[in-house]
mmCIF file of all heavy atoms in Angstrom:
data_model
loop_
_atom_site.group_PDB
_atom_site.id
_atom_site.type_symbol
_atom_site.label_atom_id
_atom_site.label_comp_id
_atom_site.label_asym_id
_atom_site.label_seq_id
_atom_site.Cartn_x
_atom_site.Cartn_y
_atom_site.Cartn_z
ATOM 1 N N THR A 7 -12.401 20.838 229.359
ATOM 2 C CA THR A 7 -13.330 21.966 229.364
ATOM 3 C C THR A 7 -13.602 22.435 230.768
ATOM 4 O O THR A 7 -13.813 21.646 231.713
ATOM 5 C CB THR A 7 -14.683 21.500 228.784
ATOM 6 O OG1 THR A 7 -14.515 21.044 227.426
ATOM 7 C CG2 THR A 7 -15.866 22.592 228.751
ATOM 8 N N TYR A 8 -13.580 23.701 230.958
ATOM 9 C CA TYR A 8 -13.759 24.344 232.301
ATOM 10 C C TYR A 8 -14.980 25.334 232.166
ATOM 11 O O TYR A 8 -15.275 25.932 231.100
ATOM 12 C CB TYR A 8 -12.568 25.228 232.703
ATOM 13 C CG TYR A 8 -11.386 24.299 233.063
ATOM 14 C CD1 TYR A 8 -10.452 23.943 232.096
ATOM 15 C CD2 TYR A 8 -11.208 23.868 234.408
ATOM 16 C CE1 TYR A 8 -9.385 23.015 232.410
ATOM 17 C CE2 TYR A 8 -10.154 23.015 234.690
ATOM 18 C CZ TYR A 8 -9.309 22.594 233.734
ATOM 19 O OH TYR A 8 -8.234 21.805 234.087
ATOM 20 N N TYR A 9 -15.722 25.373 233.277
ATOM 21 C CA TYR A 9 -16.927 26.254 233.314
ATOM 22 C C TYR A 9 -16.693 27.382 234.322
ATOM 23 O O TYR A 9 -16.088 27.105 235.378
ATOM 24 C CB TYR A 9 -18.175 25.472 233.788
ATOM 25 C CG TYR A 9 -18.489 24.380 232.713
ATOM 26 C CD1 TYR A 9 -18.025 23.130 232.874
ATOM 27 C CD2 TYR A 9 -19.273 24.708 231.636
ATOM 28 C CE1 TYR A 9 -18.286 22.074 231.924
ATOM 29 C CE2 TYR A 9 -19.516 23.657 230.634
ATOM 30 C CZ TYR A 9 -19.073 22.421 230.801
ATOM 31 O OH TYR A 9 -19.243 21.458 229.866
ATOM 32 N N VAL A 10 -17.152 28.582 233.988
ATOM 33 C CA VAL A 10 -16.969 29.711 234.945
ATOM 34 C C VAL A 10 -18.216 30.507 235.056
ATOM 35 O O VAL A 10 -19.069 30.548 234.128
ATOM 36 C CB VAL A 10 -15.781 30.642 234.438
ATOM 37 C CG1 VAL A 10 -14.482 29.888 234.450
ATOM 38 C CG2 VAL A 10 -16.148 31.220 233.031
ATOM 39 N N TRP A 11 -18.362 31.128 236.314
ATOM 40 C CA TRP A 11 -19.486 32.002 236.630
ATOM 41 C C TRP A 11 -18.831 33.181 237.399
ATOM 42 O O TRP A 11 -17.787 32.922 238.117
ATOM 43 C CB TRP A 11 -20.496 31.415 237.525
ATOM 44 C CG TRP A 11 -21.123 30.108 237.129
ATOM 45 C CD1 TRP A 11 -22.332 29.950 236.562
ATOM 46 C CD2 TRP A 11 -20.630 28.730 237.246
ATOM 47 N NE1 TRP A 11 -22.627 28.646 236.330
ATOM 48 C CE2 TRP A 11 -21.608 27.888 236.764
ATOM 49 C CE3 TRP A 11 -19.422 28.228 237.706
ATOM 50 C CZ2 TRP A 11 -21.407 26.556 236.718
ATOM 51 C CZ3 TRP A 11 -19.252 26.836 237.747
ATOM 52 C CH2 TRP A 11 -20.262 26.009 237.220
ATOM 53 N N VAL A 12 -19.361 34.357 237.226
ATOM 54 C CA VAL A 12 -18.747 35.521 237.920
ATOM 55 C C VAL A 12 -19.884 36.209 238.667
ATOM 56 O O VAL A 12 -21.020 36.474 238.071
ATOM 57 C CB VAL A 12 -18.171 36.494 236.904
ATOM 58 C CG1 VAL A 12 -17.520 37.743 237.598
ATOM 59 C CG2 VAL A 12 -17.057 35.755 236.057
ATOM 60 N N ALA A 13 -19.580 36.649 239.894
ATOM 61 C CA ALA A 13 -20.545 37.426 240.639
ATOM 62 C C ALA A 13 -19.788 38.668 241.231
ATOM 63 O O ALA A 13 -18.595 38.521 241.575
ATOM 64 C CB ALA A 13 -21.072 36.648 241.800
ATOM 65 N N ALA A 14 -20.454 39.852 241.267
ATOM 66 C CA ALA A 14 -19.824 40.922 241.838
ATOM 67 C C ALA A 14 -20.109 41.048 243.308
ATOM 68 O O ALA A 14 -21.095 40.468 243.856
ATOM 69 C CB ALA A 14 -20.458 42.196 241.189
ATOM 70 N N ILE A 15 -19.143 41.642 244.007
ATOM 71 C CA ILE A 15 -19.206 41.861 245.467
ATOM 72 C C ILE A 15 -19.133 43.334 245.798
ATOM 73 O O ILE A 15 -18.217 44.058 245.225
ATOM 74 C CB ILE A 15 -18.116 41.089 246.186
ATOM 75 C CG1 ILE A 15 -18.207 39.615 245.906
ATOM 76 C CG2 ILE A 15 -18.183 41.402 247.762
ATOM 77 C CD1 ILE A 15 -17.053 38.748 246.459
ATOM 78 N N LYS A 16 -20.154 43.834 246.638
ATOM 79 C CA LYS A 16 -20.142 45.208 246.931
ATOM 80 C C LYS A 16 -20.408 45.334 248.497
ATOM 81 O O LYS A 16 -21.404 44.775 248.939
ATOM 82 C CB LYS A 16 -21.264 46.004 246.196
ATOM 83 C CG LYS A 16 -21.306 47.508 246.479
ATOM 84 C CD LYS A 16 -22.423 48.117 245.695
ATOM 85 C CE LYS A 16 -22.546 49.597 246.117
ATOM 86 N NZ LYS A 16 -23.645 50.233 245.464
ATOM 87 N N ASN A 17 -19.471 45.972 249.123
ATOM 88 C CA ASN A 17 -19.551 46.079 250.573
ATOM 89 C C ASN A 17 -19.775 44.760 251.263
ATOM 90 O O ASN A 17 -20.584 44.645 252.234
ATOM 91 C CB ASN A 17 -20.738 47.083 250.944
ATOM 92 C CG ASN A 17 -20.457 48.498 250.413
ATOM 93 O OD1 ASN A 17 -19.311 48.948 250.402
ATOM 94 N ND2 ASN A 17 -21.524 49.175 250.133
ATOM 95 N N GLY A 18 -19.117 43.733 250.822
ATOM 96 C CA GLY A 18 -19.105 42.427 251.392
ATOM 97 C C GLY A 18 -20.369 41.584 250.980
ATOM 98 O O GLY A 18 -20.524 40.462 251.437
ATOM 99 N N LEU A 19 -21.259 42.129 250.193
ATOM 100 C CA LEU A 19 -22.456 41.380 249.722
ATOM 101 C C LEU A 19 -22.224 40.965 248.337
ATOM 102 O O LEU A 19 -21.900 41.685 247.423
ATOM 103 C CB LEU A 19 -23.726 42.267 249.914
ATOM 104 C CG LEU A 19 -24.016 42.744 251.330
ATOM 105 C CD1 LEU A 19 -25.168 43.744 251.233
ATOM 106 C CD2 LEU A 19 -24.307 41.520 252.180
ATOM 107 N N GLN A 20 -22.505 39.650 248.128
ATOM 108 C CA GLN A 20 -22.350 39.041 246.764
ATOM 109 C C GLN A 20 -23.642 39.213 245.989
ATOM 110 O O GLN A 20 -24.740 38.831 246.515
ATOM 111 C CB GLN A 20 -21.900 37.620 246.889
ATOM 112 C CG GLN A 20 -21.745 36.901 245.568
ATOM 113 C CD GLN A 20 -21.292 35.512 245.731
ATOM 114 O OE1 GLN A 20 -20.333 35.231 246.375
ATOM 115 N NE2 GLN A 20 -22.052 34.601 245.212
ATOM 116 N N GLY A 21 -23.479 39.602 244.754
ATOM 117 C CA GLY A 21 -24.683 39.669 243.793
ATOM 118 C C GLY A 21 -24.927 38.323 243.130
ATOM 119 O O GLY A 21 -24.291 37.340 243.461
ATOM 120 N N SER A 22 -25.777 38.373 242.171
ATOM 121 C CA SER A 22 -26.074 37.140 241.418
ATOM 122 C C SER A 22 -24.922 36.751 240.483
ATOM 123 O O SER A 22 -24.223 37.644 240.104
ATOM 124 C CB SER A 22 -27.349 37.414 240.564
ATOM 125 O OG SER A 22 -28.423 37.672 241.365
ATOM 126 N N TYR A 23 -24.899 35.423 240.214
ATOM 127 C CA TYR A 23 -23.878 34.999 239.287
ATOM 128 C C TYR A 23 -24.283 35.207 237.842
ATOM 129 O O TYR A 23 -25.434 35.197 237.516
ATOM 130 C CB TYR A 23 -23.584 33.492 239.499
ATOM 131 C CG TYR A 23 -22.643 33.209 240.574
ATOM 132 C CD1 TYR A 23 -23.178 32.836 241.884
ATOM 133 C CD2 TYR A 23 -21.303 33.287 240.488
ATOM 134 C CE1 TYR A 23 -22.289 32.635 243.012
ATOM 135 C CE2 TYR A 23 -20.391 33.059 241.459
ATOM 136 C CZ TYR A 23 -20.858 32.733 242.739
ATOM 137 O OH TYR A 23 -20.086 32.452 243.772
ATOM 138 N N SER A 24 -23.245 35.385 237.017
ATOM 139 C CA SER A 24 -23.495 35.509 235.565
ATOM 140 C C SER A 24 -24.000 34.182 234.995
ATOM 141 O O SER A 24 -24.004 33.192 235.636
ATOM 142 C CB SER A 24 -22.243 36.008 234.893
ATOM 143 O OG SER A 24 -21.230 34.943 234.974
ATOM 144 N N ILE A 25 -24.271 34.237 233.724
ATOM 145 C CA ILE A 25 -24.559 32.992 232.992
ATOM 146 C C ILE A 25 -23.284 32.181 232.865
ATOM 147 O O ILE A 25 -22.160 32.721 232.741
ATOM 148 C CB ILE A 25 -25.062 33.338 231.563
ATOM 149 C CG1 ILE A 25 -26.411 34.099 231.634
ATOM 150 C CG2 ILE A 25 -25.228 32.109 230.715
ATOM 151 C CD1 ILE A 25 -26.891 34.669 230.298
ATOM 152 N N ARG A 26 -23.404 30.870 233.014
ATOM 153 C CA ARG A 26 -22.244 30.006 232.943
ATOM 154 C C ARG A 26 -21.644 30.033 231.528
ATOM 155 O O ARG A 26 -22.340 29.998 230.558
ATOM 156 C CB ARG A 26 -22.658 28.547 233.296
ATOM 157 C CG ARG A 26 -21.521 27.506 233.198
ATOM 158 C CD ARG A 26 -21.962 26.110 233.578
ATOM 159 N NE ARG A 26 -22.614 25.623 232.420
ATOM 160 C CZ ARG A 26 -22.947 24.292 232.328
ATOM 161 N NH1 ARG A 26 -22.602 23.487 233.250
ATOM 162 N NH2 ARG A 26 -23.511 23.822 231.155
#
Side-chain angles (χ1 to χ4, degrees):
T7 300
Y8 289 90
Y9 297 93
V10 295
W11 303 261
V12 179
I15 299 174
K16 180 180 177 184
N17 296 327
L19 299 173
Q20 179 178 305
S22 299
Y23 278 97
S24 66
I25 297 172
R26 178 179 81 166

